[in-house]
Amino acid sequence: VQLQASGGGLVQVGGSLRLSCVVSGGTFTLGVMAWFRQAPGKEREFVAASNWNGGGSFIGYYEDSVKGRFTISRDNAKNTASLLMNSLKEEDTAVYYCAAAPRRINVGGLYSSNRYHWWGQGTQVTVSS
């Protein structure tokens, strides 16, 4: 399974960007698709995840600082995931990575990067004032 992230760029404070992650090489629906980010000099941190609920739908989870501003979505038929980022702040500047796991992850584990099996290459998001 390979993940390809795109959509990063330079945007002003208050602006919006949509990141996309395309999955290839797999024939199954991924249990979790997520986004992490890493700012210079900081550790990689969880941003958002779309987690299979064990039934027929997926639930979104968000890091507190992006709640209400970011929205994760996925199209399982196309094997893609997106992260719509609104009201961007300078502190959102980072390299954003998409990640995936074959099965759903318990809620507490979503925030741990080591629970994810596959990673994209990262896309730079820079928010300037």
Side-chain angles (χ1 to χ4, degrees):
V1 175
Q2 294 84 42
L3 279 62
Q4 180 75 36
S6 63
L10 175 63
V11 64
Q12 290 188 326
V13 170
S16 298
L17 279 176
R18 180 186 292 274
L19 305 183
S20 296
C21 180
V22 178
V23 181
S24 60
T27 59
F28 51 89
T29 299
L30 294 165
V32 185
M33 295 191 72
W35 291 92
F36 284 73
R37 66 186 178 186
Q38 188 167 18
K42 295 186 177 181
E43 294 187 354
R44 190 172 298 189
E45 66 173 1
F46 172 84
V47 175
S50 175
N51 194 24
W52 182 51
N53 71 348
S57 61
F58 295 84
I59 300 175
Y61 296 87
Y62 300 90
E63 193 267 330
D64 286 345
S65 70
V66 308
K67 284 180 180 177
R69 301 189 297 122
F70 291 10
T71 303
I72 187 170
S73 60
R74 57 191 293 174
D75 184 332
N76 294 318
K78 297 181 178 179
N79 269 349
T80 61
S82 296
L83 184 68
L84 175 61
M85 306 185 294
N86 293 324
S87 303
L88 283 162
K89 305 176 180 179
E90 288 189 64
E91 50 264 44
D92 294 319
T93 295
V95 177
Y96 283 71
Y97 299 88
C98 61
R103 290 172 294 278
R104 64 173 173 164
I105 298 174
N106 64 288
V107 175
L110 289 172
Y111 301 85
S112 300
S113 60
N114 60 11
R115 298 297 300 272
Y116 295 84
H117 291 221
W118 303 290
W119 291 83
Q121 84 289 4
T123 184
Q124 176 70 47
V125 172
T126 303
V127 185
S128 66
S129 58

